[in-house]
Structures are given as structure tokens and as C-alpha cells.
Amino acid sequence: MQRSLDYGEMVLLIEPHKQRSFSVVLKENSILHTHQGTLPHDEIAGLPEGSRIQTNTGCIFLVFRPRISDRMMKVRRKTQIVYPKDAGWLLMALDIFPGATVIEIGIGSGAFTTLLAQMVGPEGKIYSFDRREEFVENALYNINRSGFADRVETDILEAGEPFPVNDVDAVFLDLPNPWVAIPPASQALAPGRPLALIVPNAEQLKEAVESLYQNRFDSVEKVELLERKMLVRQKEGVRPLERMIGFTGYLVSARKLSF
Amino acid sequence: MQRSLDYGEMVLLIEPHKQRSFSVVLKENSILHTHQGTLPHDEIAGLPEGSRIQTNTGCIFLVFRPRISDRMMKVRRKTQIVYPKDAGWLLMALDIFPGATVIEIGIGSGAFTTLLAQMVGPEGKIYSFDRREEFVENALYNINRSGFADRVETDILEAGEPFPVNDVDAVFLDLPNPWVAIPPASQALAPGRPLALIVPNAEQLKEAVESLYQNRFDSVEKVELLERKMLVRQKEGVRPLERMIGFTGYLVSARKLSF
Amino acid sequence: MQRSLDYGEMVLLIEPHKQRSFSVVLKENSILHTHQGTLPHDEIAGLPEGSRIQTNTGCIFLVFRPRISDRMMKVRRKTQIVYPKDAGWLLMALDIFPGATVIEIGIGSGAFTTLLAQMVGPEGKIYSFDRREEFVENALYNINRSGFADRVETDILEAGEPFPVNDVDAVFLDLPNPWVAIPPASQALAPGRPLALIVPNAEQLKEAVESLYQNRFDSVEKVELLERKMLVRQKEGVRPLERMIGFTGYLVSARKLSF
Amino acid sequence: MQRSLDYGEMVLLIEPHKQRSFSVVLKENSILHTHQGTLPHDEIAGLPEGSRIQTNTGCIFLVFRPRISDRMMKVRRKTQIVYPKDAGWLLMALDIFPGATVIEIGIGSGAFTTLLAQMVGPEGKIYSFDRREEFVENALYNINRSGFADRVETDILEAGEPFPVNDVDAVFLDLPNPWVAIPPASQALAPGRPLALIVPNAEQLKEAVESLYQNRFDSVEKVELLERKMLVRQKEGVRPLERMIGFTGYLVSARKLSF
């Protein structure tokens, strides 16, 4: 039995047949101002997910709980985030499972942290470190809002310092110089388990791959993903969209050796 | 504390610095025959993951447990499978979480079923249906081998028949005519929750999208993903690989309306 | 010996190390107003190509004659144009050579017509037809400005009408329903010679290909081209640009049978 | 009036509705052996282009003159060649026109040289240099077979040596270390005119771009092109082909400054 939308929850509003959405946290006695008119939060609270609502100017919105991918796109950003298309690949590469213990270096805005927290479930644990306190604070704001705060532990850690946890199931690195974190990652990771990382430039890709081979990793995969949105119109026809995101980063995965 | 590799487990063998791998289920007193010499299973059993082993001709292999993505690629195939790059996107689109209940129509070879089973964990449940008994049997063979049999229920179901479960958290359709399964999917899905599907051709994409809008779905996304493998060589340099997979299917997601 | 830039010529102005350019036709006693200050045309006229000029606010521009690809991008547009990346493919597919006679159906804004005119040279001839007089007039404006007016003959022609020329070396179709022009194209084309066309949607691609096979064409190729711009920075590194054009059309070529 | 196919000409044989082709030079009293039976050359000679012929086992082939793109793919190869998709882009970037004088450094197998020769016409001239005599000889074999020998001058030239021609309309560089040829290219090119180059790796791309800026070039463009073949089947539908070429090189163009 599905719960209805409640105060304190983040909800997504979408125009019918459109892709663009915006998010709002429901509060009593509040008014939502949209480009298409206003709407009292009190009219949204109590509705089932997937409901239709109408602004004072007669415009229709659909209201949903954010999926985890929506949450990632709606975090309060202090940094570049890991996009859902790349996040899906990383979940697979890191072989995430309920109950897993995962280290993330570079908490960023906490978008990928939140995804990891959803995926490891209440039995799992995410340790996420960053060298900048303001990033950790902002990420915690986002993680708290997702309701997964108890699955995530954060701390300030200089890149290159040893990690305060061991025998973890997966390590994810999202920092400009991932090679400084590869030696401690190699220490912290259980034998055979995967590490993944994302870097923006070809030169970093090269340096990261070299560092992996020098720090007891092998089975190294390096890819980038292009997501092409399709335009589907019943009358005019089907084709790719004219605009696309051309690049979001190089993705690498590798597995820890035991010797 | 990591378990060592045991009899009855599937293991992956990989040549160092190479990408190609092959898999074998460890059996007592068995000999593995490779293109690079032979190797007794008994020398692999008992090793930690990530170990190095040597064939009788002196060739080196690395031995790992398969990640879920490796398992998907190594299923015994009776059908086309969902590739890991698409599977990652689908996990995100379906908003999978530990404990979720998911319906899959078109069990195929059970590759994606196995992934779903890993991701929903022991508290979750996957209902997977197919109209062809031989596919269900083969898929069960693959699912059993992954150790997730108790999380998966399968049955024979003609496309278009109502689903025997309700109020589920996500529905995935992988069949040539997904529109026949969209009305029962709309019935079975909890309001607001996501459906996703994969189709090979532009015409099917169009018909599926039209059916979604006619069956109480909105917030429809349509994409395809291109995975580009990179070649990283310390001396010669960095570039995309010459060969790539050009296409594996159109991916669609949508959310169920409550009205 | 290179001519210096002269009044009446179109010139391109580019900021150093930038990609964006704008064009202007040089006139005596005129002042160019840019977002970076003003510049008398008289200071540009007489300069060699590739010169550096300075606005009244001290900003530097580089000045070039437009290449044919620049001309295509700078036409006065009444329609979608064929982009240079696709134009290059089409030149190859149509096997253009100096002295060739080419028919184009759908003159559009005359961008591709101008390219064809450059490539067939003074001995060649382009016959370009369109059903809308306003498009022909605008295209002629663009073609005249390129200096190739004597190589191009235009006329109003309803789609599907027989072409008033025969035994031509190549036919290019750029109209929403190219199949209506395929039978007359088959009549007009010399045996063995190529036809090419561009269409925006998958459905049109299908109908066009079917029509080709039914109208004495074979050796049919169907592609689309993705152009990815690269970002090359000496310090930060090399990577694809974040933004890219996702789609500009499906390109088809085929060869006329003699039987 | 089209000439019929003659002895001494290269012809292409294609199976109807297929893409794969093979080429043969017609000789009197010769027999062509195909995987689908044999065929006397004498039955092909005298036919119009676009004819249908039948082997002794009843298999049908279509026979065409090669387009310039077909010739490029059918050269006798001693090196990697420039692919037609990239060649089309380069024609545009180099702003080729009938009568142009073009320098090419790195003759390779002569595929791109042949294209340039077709495009500049009988009034144009291609100067193509290479440091390896065996490449020049093989390229000349291919260029001669295309009938464009009188438009091409070749010579042995060490990379970095000054070019023996000046004030040329375009320069194309296809060698592993194009930066050594950029200073002499800058000398030889008329002010304002374009240079283009192709390199395989990101590191070479970076070094080439840096060298361009240091040798009086600007307006630098850097791209790569992905060609996606489409599968169009009347019954099953339309989609991209599963296999594609993932990468053939980074393409760069720039324009010579006058100061």
C-alpha cells in the first residue's frame, strides 16, 4: 500500500508530456510559485504519487516522489555531479549489493553518495571522505534530505591519507588526482573487489590507469558513455534529439589483486 | 573477512592486462583446458579472490569471483541479453532499492533478472514471466547458479495476460511487442512508480511510447546509450578503441499516474 | 600571389583562440559594430587574409575570407541547412568532380548548392529546383554572394515533376518526401551514377530506401554522422566538449542501375 | 553519353541489396573467380555501368565504376588510410576547389592523394611527400590506377625539411609527428589559407594544436567523426547497426595568419 505525499517530503512537479521537472519540499501553509501560476503546498500533501494538480491559472502539473536519479539531479550543488547515466555504469562496475560497505573519496555534492546509500540498504554502510569541509556539509544536507543519513559516515580526509576503514567491498574515487588515493584504496579494499573512478581529461585517465597497475590492480576497464535522447512524435516521426550532452567524464574500473 | 574461492562457485579467469575473460565452475578433481595450457581446479579452490595462477605451460591467469555484470555476460544464452551498460541505466530508471518488488516480463536468459535479484536483496522479490517454457528453464539455470533463486519467482504467462501480483515497485518489459504488456503493467504498478522497457527498432519505440501515454503513464524518457571503450597506452597514448558496439536497443522509462 | 581583401567581399572576423566568428560584406565608408567595439570597413579592405585588426576599444580580431564551409554556415537562412559535416559525406557519396553536372531538388537556403558549385568548377553545372519561389530567391541571393551564380541554374518545380535535364552525374534530394522525386531522379541520372538524400526521421528513411529499391537503385548506404568537438587545453588537458550537436539527419546514397 | 565499361578499368562488383563489394581490373581473356562462381571479364567489358551479370553458378552481381570513395577503400595498402567519412570533412576544412594547389605530407597509400587529385581537377596540382620511398611507390601505383597521375607530383622528403613549393592553397599533414611539418607548412601556405591534419592519439592532438598556435596559425578546430550505419528493413524496422567503427582519428584544421 503506497503512502500519500506528506509534509517534509521532496516532490517533483512535471508538466504532462514534457521532460523538464522541478522539485519542492512540502511545507504546511506554503505557496508554490511556478512559471505557470501558484499552488498551495496543502493541496499537494495527502495526494497519492502520480496525481494531477492544477495551478490558480489552470495549468496542470503531475506530482511524483523523486526517483533516486531525480534526487541526484536535484541536489544542492557545490561541485560537478556524477550524472545518472554514469552512475548506472558505476553501480555495475562496483558490483554494489545490499549490505555492502563502500568507500567514496570526493563526496562532491553527495549525489552519488545518496545513490550508494539507497543501493546498499539499511544493512550497508557508505564511508565518504573529502578534504573540504564545505563540500561535506553541503553533501550532508543533500543526504539528510534523502533520508539515508544513518547509512553514511563522512569525515575530512586529505587526499593520500590512509582510509580509516578496511576490507571494504568497493571504492569509488571522484577527485582530480585519483592516483593519490589509489595506494590507500588498494590497502582498504578486500582482495578481488572492485574500484571505480571518474576523471575529466585524457591525461588524468592515463595517469590513473598507470597508477592502478602499479598498486596491485588489474582487469582495468576504461570507457565513456554517450546518452542520446530520442524524439518520438506520432505524426512527424522518430529521431535522435538535436541537442545532446557530449561528454561527462572517463569511467574506469579495476579489481584488486591479492598478491 | 573474505571467503576463499570454493568448489561449486563460478570463477572468472583473466589474462593480466587483458580484457577478455572466461568462466568456469570449480569442481573437485577437474582439469581446466585453456588456449594457454591446463590447470587443475584443485589449485584454484582455496585461493583468495584476485590470486595469480599458472598453467602447465607457464601462462599466468588472474582469478576473480564474477561481479554481477560479469555474471550477466556469462549466462547460458537462449536469447539476446540486456547488456551491463543498459542494465545500469535501467536500474536507475526503475529506481531499484533493497526490499523492492519488481515484475519482469520477458525473462530472456535471466541476465537482467539476476541483476535485479542482487539489487533488491534478500528482502526483495522479482516476479519474472515469459511465454516460453524453455526460456524460463534456461533462465532459472542461470539464476540458480548466481545463488539468488529464492528471490525470484517465475511463471509462464502469455503476453497481455494480467499479472498475478499487484502494487509492485517497478515493472520491466523486454519483449518484442511491449505494448501488449503495458495495460497489465499499468494495473500492477503502484501509483507514481516507474516502468522501463527496451526495444530494438524505431517503430517499436514509437508504438511503445504511444501505448504508455494511453495507459496512464507520463514522464516518458527515451534514450539509447553508446559505450566507448578507451585504449590507454603509456607510450603510444590515449584514444577511443577502433571497434565499438554501435547499438543494443532503445531504452524507455515512464511513471504510472494515479488517475 | 594572394589578393588582398576587397570591397564587396564577405569576410570572417574571429577572436584569437576562439571558435565563434561573424561575417560582414566590406563596403566603403562603413563602420562595423561588434560586441567589442567598432571598426571602419576601410581598415579591413586592402589587408591580406589572415590579418589582425583592432577595434576602437583595443580588441583584436583576425580577418579571413570564408572557406566554403564558413559560407554555408553564414547563408541567409529560410530553411534548415545541410551542415558541413554532412556536406563532406555527401560530396564523397555523390562522387563530385570538376566538370560534373548535378541536380539538386530542394534548394533550401542554397548552402549545399554553393558547395556543389565550388566543387564542380567553371566547367560544371548545378541544376537546383524547388517548389517555393521564396526559397529559390533567397538561395540565389546566397549563391550570388559566393560568386558562383553562372554555375547554377534554378527553377520552380513541383516535387514529382520530371526533371528538365538528363544524363546527369549526380542527384541530391533534400525534401521532406524524397520518394516523390526518386522516379524522376532515376530517369535523369546516368546509369551507374549516384543519388544521395538527407531526411530527418526514421520513417522517412525507411520509405526513401524502399522507393530507391523500387526505382532501379541499389548499393544503398544509410548512415548518420556525429561530430564531436574536442577541447584541447595545454594545462588542464584533452577531452571532448560537453555540448555537442546530437543529430542533423539520416544520410542515404545509392547507385542507379542500367536495367 | 556514358561510356561502357572497358578493359583496363577497375570495376566494382556488388551483390544486390548487400553492402560488401570487391574490385577487379578488366583484362581480355581473364576469368574472375568469386565465392559465388566464375565470370569471364569479357562479359563485363562493353556493359554500361549499373549492369547485372551472372556467374556460372547463377549468382547475380551488379557492376559499377568505383566512386572516388570506393577507390580510396580499394587502394593497395601499405599504411592506414584516411577513411571516406574523415576525407569528406577534410575536403571541407581544406576548402578544396578546382584548380587548387595542395601539399600533402605523408602520402601513405595514396588514398587521400587520389581524392585530392579528383577534386582539384586537371587545372590543379597535388604535391605529395613522404620520407619512405616504398610508400611513395605504392601510392603512385594507386594514383596511376585512378588516372590522375598527371595531377600529382611526389618526392621523398624528410619530415621537417622545407617544402619545395610556395604560396599553396592548402596543406594536409598525415604523419605521426605533424608538429615537425608545421613550421615548413606555415612557410609554404598562402596567408589566410587552411591546414588540416589527422592524428590518432590525444597526446598528439595536444602537441599539434600547441605547435599550430606557435607557428602563425589560428582559428583551430578539433573534432572526431563517428559514422553510424543504419539498418533499414521493411518488415522488422529501422535501427542503427550493431557494429560500428569506434574511432579513426582526431581531425584538426587551422588557418594561416599573415603576420
Side-chain angles (χ1 to χ4, degrees):
Chain A
M1 177 68 198
Q2 290 291 116
R3 287 177 305 107
S4 54
L5 300 170
D6 204 1
Y7 294 110
E9 276 199 284
M10 184 199 279
V11 298
L12 277 190
L13 285 93
I14 301 176
E15 289 177 72
H17 287 228
K18 297 278 166 66
Q19 300 268 335
R20 219 166 15 126
S21 67
F22 57 97
S23 63
V24 65
V25 176
L26 297 181
K27 287 191 199 107
E28 284 181 85
N29 302 319
S30 286
I31 302 292
L32 175 65
H33 295 267
T34 82
H35 57 296
Q36 310 261 37
T38 64
L39 198 58
H41 286 207
D42 298 342
E43 288 191 12
I44 305 175
L47 291 176
E49 259 203 275
S51 292
R52 183 164 63 174
I53 50 173
Q54 199 167 335
T55 66
N56 68 333
T57 64
C59 284
I60 301 293
F61 286 97
L62 305 171
V63 60
F64 294 100
R65 281 197 179 85
R67 291 173 298 176
I68 185 67
S69 55
D70 302 312
R71 283 193 182 283
M72 293 176 73
M73 294 304 286
K74 300 295 184 197
V75 293
R76 194 174 71 187
R77 296 193 196 187
K78 297 261 177 186
T79 63
Q80 182 65 276
I81 66 159
V82 175
Y83 284 94
K85 72 174 169 78
D86 295 327
W89 190 92
L90 290 166
L91 281 184
M92 303 294 293
L94 290 168
D95 195 26
I96 299 299
F97 55 90
T101 302
V102 184
I103 292 176
E104 177 187 49
I105 306 296
I107 199 167
S109 298
F112 192 64
T113 327
T114 306
L115 170 64
L116 287 173
Q118 169 159 321
M119 291 310 197
V120 301
E123 315 287 315
K125 184 66 81 182
I126 312 302
Y127 296 92
S128 189
F129 306 116
D130 207 293
R131 54 190 292 275
R132 292 185 58 178
E133 192 158 355
E134 65 169 300
F135 290 171
V136 174
E137 273 169 23
N138 179 63
L140 280 174
Y141 169 86
N142 289 315
I143 294 161
N144 286 339
R145 220 161 54 160
S146 74
F148 296 139
D150 55 338
R151 305 178 187 178
V152 180
E153 294 201 11
T154 63
D155 210 344
I156 308 297
L157 198 79
E158 280 300 314
E161 280 189 79
F163 303 165
V165 229
N166 268 306
D167 212 36
V168 301
D169 297 304
V171 172
F172 173 61
L173 306 179
D174 183 6
L175 66 172
N177 49 349
W179 43 88
V180 301
I182 287 174
S186 184
Q187 286 296 327
L189 204 47
R193 294 297 304 169
L195 171 149
L197 58 89
I198 184 167
V199 284
N201 294 298
E203 290 82 349
Q204 291 158 305
L205 173 61
K206 193 178 190 171
E207 191 159 349
V209 167
E210 188 170 27
S211 172
L212 285 168
Y213 283 123
Q214 290 172 352
N215 284 283
R216 302 173 62 197
F217 286 94
D218 204 301
S219 188
V220 181
E221 292 175 47
K222 304 84 62 180
V223 311
E224 57 155 328
L225 281 184
L226 289 158
E227 185 184 63
R228 261 184 129 190
K229 294 189 194 294
M230 298 296 294
L231 190 62
V232 177
R233 294 175 299 175
Q234 295 309 319
K235 204 173 146 198
E236 297 90 340
V238 175
R239 62 174 177 80
L241 215 61
E242 277 156 8
R243 292 268 149 197
M244 71 181 278
I245 304 292
F247 183 72
T248 54
Y250 295 112
L251 302 166
V252 179
S253 79
R255 302 192 67 171
K256 165 82 180 298
L257 297 169
S258 68
F259 56 91
Chain B
M1 177 69 200
Q2 291 291 116
R3 287 177 306 107
S4 56
L5 300 170
D6 203 1
Y7 294 110
E9 277 200 282
M10 182 197 282
V11 297
L12 277 191
L13 285 93
I14 299 175
E15 289 178 71
H17 287 227
K18 297 279 167 64
Q19 299 269 337
R20 217 167 16 126
S21 68
F22 57 97
S23 63
V24 65
V25 176
L26 296 182
K27 287 191 199 107
E28 285 183 85
N29 302 319
S30 285
I31 301 292
L32 174 66
H33 294 268
T34 81
H35 57 296
Q36 310 262 39
T38 64
L39 198 58
H41 288 207
D42 299 342
E43 288 191 12
I44 304 175
L47 291 177
E49 260 203 273
S51 290
R52 183 163 65 173
I53 50 173
Q54 198 167 336
T55 67
N56 69 331
T57 64
C59 285
I60 300 293
F61 286 97
L62 304 171
V63 61
F64 294 100
R65 282 196 177 85
R67 289 173 300 175
I68 186 67
S69 56
D70 302 313
R71 284 195 180 281
M72 293 176 73
M73 295 303 288
K74 301 295 184 196
V75 293
R76 194 174 71 186
R77 296 193 196 186
K78 296 259 177 186
T79 63
Q80 182 64 276
I81 66 160
V82 174
Y83 283 94
K85 76 176 166 76
D86 295 325
W89 190 93
L90 291 165
L91 281 185
M92 303 294 293
L94 291 168
D95 195 26
I96 298 300
F97 55 90
T101 301
V102 185
I103 292 176
E104 176 188 51
I105 307 295
I107 198 167
S109 299
F112 192 64
T113 327
T114 305
L115 170 65
L116 288 173
Q118 167 158 324
M119 291 309 197
V120 300
E123 313 288 314
K125 182 67 82 182
I126 311 303
Y127 296 93
S128 189
F129 305 117
D130 207 294
R131 55 190 293 273
R132 292 186 58 177
E133 192 158 356
E134 67 170 300
F135 288 171
V136 175
E137 273 169 22
N138 179 63
L140 280 175
Y141 169 85
N142 288 316
I143 295 161
N144 286 340
R145 220 161 52 161
S146 74
F148 296 138
D150 55 338
R151 304 177 188 180
V152 180
E153 293 203 11
T154 63
D155 210 345
I156 308 298
L157 197 81
E158 278 301 313
E161 280 189 81
F163 304 164
V165 231
N166 269 307
D167 212 36
V168 301
D169 298 305
V171 172
F172 174 61
L173 306 178
D174 183 6
L175 65 172
N177 48 350
W179 43 87
V180 302
I182 287 174
S186 184
Q187 286 296 328
L189 204 49
R193 293 298 305 168
L195 170 148
L197 58 88
I198 184 168
V199 285
N201 295 299
E203 291 83 348
Q204 292 160 304
L205 173 61
K206 194 178 188 172
E207 192 159 349
V209 168
E210 189 170 25
S211 172
L212 286 168
Y213 282 122
Q214 290 172 352
N215 284 282
R216 303 171 62 197
F217 286 94
D218 204 301
S219 187
V220 181
E221 291 175 47
K222 306 83 65 177
V223 310
E224 57 154 329
L225 281 185
L226 290 158
E227 185 184 65
R228 259 182 133 194
K229 292 188 195 295
M230 299 296 294
L231 190 62
V232 177
R233 295 176 297 178
Q234 295 310 318
K235 205 173 144 198
E236 298 89 342
V238 174
R239 61 173 178 81
L241 216 61
E242 279 155 8
R243 294 266 148 198
M244 72 181 275
I245 304 293
F247 184 72
T248 54
Y250 294 113
L251 301 167
V252 180
S253 78
R255 301 192 66 172
K256 165 82 180 299
L257 297 169
S258 67
F259 56 92
Chain C
M1 177 70 200
Q2 289 292 114
R3 286 177 306 106
S4 54
L5 300 169
D6 204 358
Y7 294 110
E9 276 199 284
M10 184 198 279
V11 298
L12 277 191
L13 283 92
I14 300 175
E15 289 178 73
H17 287 227
K18 298 279 166 65
Q19 300 267 336
R20 219 168 12 128
S21 66
F22 57 97
S23 63
V24 66
V25 176
L26 296 181
K27 287 191 200 109
E28 284 181 86
N29 303 318
S30 287
I31 301 293
L32 175 66
H33 294 268
T34 81
H35 58 297
Q36 310 262 38
T38 64
L39 199 57
H41 288 208
D42 298 342
E43 287 191 13
I44 305 176
L47 291 177
E49 260 202 273
S51 291
R52 183 163 65 173
I53 49 175
Q54 199 167 335
T55 67
N56 68 332
T57 63
C59 285
I60 301 293
F61 286 98
L62 305 171
V63 60
F64 295 99
R65 283 197 177 86
R67 290 174 299 176
I68 186 67
S69 56
D70 302 312
R71 284 193 180 284
M72 293 176 73
M73 295 304 285
K74 299 297 183 195
V75 293
R76 195 174 70 187
R77 297 193 194 186
K78 296 261 176 184
T79 63
Q80 183 64 276
I81 65 158
V82 175
Y83 283 94
K85 75 176 167 75
D86 296 327
W89 191 93
L90 291 165
L91 281 185
M92 303 294 293
L94 291 167
D95 195 26
I96 299 300
F97 55 91
T101 301
V102 184
I103 291 174
E104 177 188 51
I105 306 295
I107 198 166
S109 298
F112 192 64
T113 327
T114 306
L115 170 64
L116 287 173
Q118 168 158 323
M119 291 310 198
V120 301
E123 316 285 316
K125 183 67 83 182
I126 312 302
Y127 296 92
S128 189
F129 306 118
D130 207 293
R131 54 188 293 274
R132 292 187 58 179
E133 193 158 355
E134 65 170 302
F135 289 171
V136 174
E137 272 168 24
N138 178 64
L140 280 175
Y141 169 85
N142 288 315
I143 294 161
N144 287 339
R145 221 161 52 161
S146 74
F148 296 138
D150 55 339
R151 304 176 186 181
V152 180
E153 294 201 9
T154 63
D155 211 345
I156 308 298
L157 197 80
E158 278 303 313
E161 280 189 82
F163 303 163
V165 232
N166 269 305
D167 212 36
V168 301
D169 297 306
V171 172
F172 174 61
L173 306 178
D174 183 5
L175 64 174
N177 49 349
W179 43 89
V180 302
I182 287 174
S186 184
Q187 285 297 327
L189 203 48
R193 293 297 304 168
L195 171 147
L197 58 87
I198 184 167
V199 286
N201 295 298
E203 291 83 349
Q204 292 159 303
L205 174 61
K206 193 178 189 172
E207 191 158 351
V209 167
E210 189 170 27
S211 172
L212 286 169
Y213 283 122
Q214 289 171 352
N215 285 281
R216 303 172 62 198
F217 285 94
D218 205 301
S219 188
V220 181
E221 291 175 48
K222 305 85 61 180
V223 311
E224 57 154 327
L225 282 184
L226 290 159
E227 186 184 64
R228 264 186 128 189
K229 293 188 195 295
M230 298 295 294
L231 190 62
V232 176
R233 295 176 297 178
Q234 295 310 318
K235 204 174 145 197
E236 298 89 342
V238 174
R239 62 173 177 81
L241 216 60
E242 278 155 11
R243 293 266 147 196
M244 72 181 275
I245 304 292
F247 183 71
T248 54
Y250 294 112
L251 302 166
V252 179
S253 78
R255 302 193 66 172
K256 165 81 180 299
L257 297 169
S258 68
F259 56 92
Chain D
M1 177 69 200
Q2 290 292 115
R3 287 175 307 106
S4 55
L5 300 169
D6 204 1
Y7 294 111
E9 277 199 283
M10 183 199 280
V11 298
L12 276 191
L13 284 92
I14 300 176
E15 289 177 72
H17 288 225
K18 297 279 167 66
Q19 299 268 337
R20 216 165 17 124
S21 67
F22 57 95
S23 64
V24 64
V25 176
L26 296 182
K27 287 192 199 106
E28 286 182 84
N29 302 318
S30 285
I31 301 293
L32 174 65
H33 295 267
T34 82
H35 58 297
Q36 309 262 38
T38 64
L39 197 58
H41 286 208
D42 298 342
E43 287 190 14
I44 304 175
L47 292 175
E49 259 204 275
S51 290
R52 182 163 65 175
I53 50 174
Q54 200 168 333
T55 66
N56 67 331
T57 62
C59 285
I60 300 293
F61 285 97
L62 305 171
V63 60
F64 294 99
R65 283 196 178 86
R67 290 174 298 177
I68 184 67
S69 56
D70 302 312
R71 283 194 182 284
M72 291 175 75
M73 295 304 286
K74 300 296 184 196
V75 294
R76 195 174 70 188
R77 298 194 194 185
K78 296 260 177 184
T79 63
Q80 183 65 275
I81 66 159
V82 175
Y83 283 95
K85 74 173 168 77
D86 295 326
W89 190 94
L90 291 166
L91 282 184
M92 303 294 292
L94 291 168
D95 194 27
I96 298 300
F97 56 90
T101 301
V102 185
I103 292 175
E104 176 186 52
I105 306 295
I107 199 166
S109 299
F112 191 65
T113 326
T114 306
L115 170 64
L116 287 173
Q118 168 158 323
M119 292 309 197
V120 299
E123 314 288 314
K125 183 67 81 182
I126 312 303
Y127 296 92
S128 189
F129 305 118
D130 208 293
R131 54 190 294 274
R132 292 186 57 178
E133 192 158 358
E134 65 168 304
F135 290 171
V136 175
E137 272 169 23
N138 179 62
L140 280 175
Y141 168 86
N142 289 314
I143 294 162
N144 286 339
R145 221 161 54 162
S146 74
F148 295 138
D150 55 340
R151 304 176 187 181
V152 180
E153 294 202 12
T154 62
D155 210 345
I156 308 299
L157 197 80
E158 278 302 313
E161 280 188 80
F163 303 165
V165 232
N166 268 305
D167 212 36
V168 300
D169 297 304
V171 172
F172 174 60
L173 306 179
D174 182 6
L175 65 174
N177 48 349
W179 43 88
V180 301
I182 288 175
S186 184
Q187 286 296 328
L189 204 47
R193 295 296 305 168
L195 171 148
L197 59 87
I198 184 167
V199 285
N201 295 299
E203 290 84 347
Q204 291 160 304
L205 173 60
K206 193 179 191 173
E207 191 158 351
V209 168
E210 189 171 26
S211 172
L212 286 169
Y213 283 121
Q214 290 171 351
N215 283 282
R216 303 172 60 197
F217 286 94
D218 204 301
S219 188
V220 181
E221 291 175 46
K222 303 84 65 180
V223 311
E224 57 153 329
L225 283 183
L226 289 159
E227 186 183 65
R228 260 184 129 191
K229 294 187 194 295
M230 298 295 295
L231 191 62
V232 177
R233 294 175 300 175
Q234 295 309 320
K235 206 173 144 197
E236 298 89 342
V238 175
R239 62 174 178 80
L241 215 63
E242 278 155 9
R243 292 268 149 197
M244 72 181 275
I245 304 292
F247 183 73
T248 55
Y250 295 112
L251 301 166
V252 179
S253 78
R255 301 191 68 171
K256 165 78 181 299
L257 297 169
S258 69
F259 55 91

